[in-house]
Amino acid sequence: MARPAVGADLRRCAECGGYEYGGAPDCTACRELVDGIVEGEWSVFLRRWNLRGEDESEPGDRGDQEVALAQMVVAEPDRHDWRVVDAALDRLVCSACGDRLSRGPVGCSDCDLAHGFRYAAIETDRTGVPPGNEHAVRVNVSVVRRPQISSDDEVLARRLLLPALLVGLLPTTETAQRVSALLKRSAPAQKTAILEQAVEEMLLRRRTGSRPAV
């Protein structure tokens, strides 16, 4: 499934009950949707290189070629869309920890280095979104897919805001600061409700065209 279109309605996940994508990484269905954001673009990229679809080469040959292509992408991240870079990293093995490159445990220097280089990739805002929406999407996706390096509060915020970002919304600086302040002084049990309310307010503003309250 491709990511939602700009302006699309948010849909509830049948597995976790929250908005789709927002239950990752714990919800299997949402996690697969988030991974699909990356994998879908990689499939398009492979077709451009004639490595997906009708191909006379053996499956093993295609696999080797795909790894070689991933190595090329990772060596020049500034020439590729961020989703292609993230997918390429998934296909390489970290020589230090043995996990997928950039997604290893906290303290793996090779994964940390690769994780930093991924942010050189290209981010292109879609038509009709506020400037910076694509950057917000890719940061939130990155945190959700490598949650072990972030605090519980950051993972919670990133995952719950992701569905709204995917349909083209972006909180204002004032809104982000207000929500951040509320989270810092709230009990853990209240934080999910605060973030869910922030998302609902963003959706309401889109429907009514009203300006945000600060």
Side-chain angles (χ1 to χ4, degrees), residues 198-209:
V199 170
E200 295 302 327
E201 289 175 359
M202 292 167 66
L203 294 171
L204 178 62
R205 289 197 298 270
R206 182 179 69 177
R207 291 193 296 269
T208 63

Side-chain angles (χ1 to χ4, degrees), residues 106-122:
V106 175
C108 177
S109 58
D110 288 3
C111 281
D112 289 344
L113 185 63
H115 180 68
F117 281 139
R118 75 177 351 125
Y119 285 99
I122 297 170

Side-chain angles (χ1 to χ4, degrees), residues 86 108 186:
D86 282 13
C108 177
S186 298

Side-chain angles (χ1 to χ4, degrees), residues 25-91:
D26 293 335
C27 171
T28 301
C30 287
R31 184 172 66 247
E32 290 176 353
L33 287 173
V34 173
D35 286 340
I37 295 172
V38 171
E39 289 301 314
E41 191 66 16
W42 181 253
S43 294
V44 173
F45 183 70
L46 288 185
R47 285 195 291 271
R48 297 192 189 116
W49 287 79
N50 296 319
L51 290 181
R52 188 61 59 88
E54 295 296 329
D55 195 314
E56 295 180 356
S57 60
E58 294 297 323
D61 294 334
R62 289 199 297 272
D64 292 342
Q65 292 170 2
E66 188 169 342
V67 170
L69 188 59
Q71 292 171 332
M72 180 200 74
V73 168
V74 170
E76 48 183 28
D78 57 318
R79 298 184 62 182
H80 304 281
D81 183 88
W82 68 269
R83 293 163 292 176
V84 172
V85 173
D86 282 13
L89 287 166
D90 283 347
R91 283 155 175 80

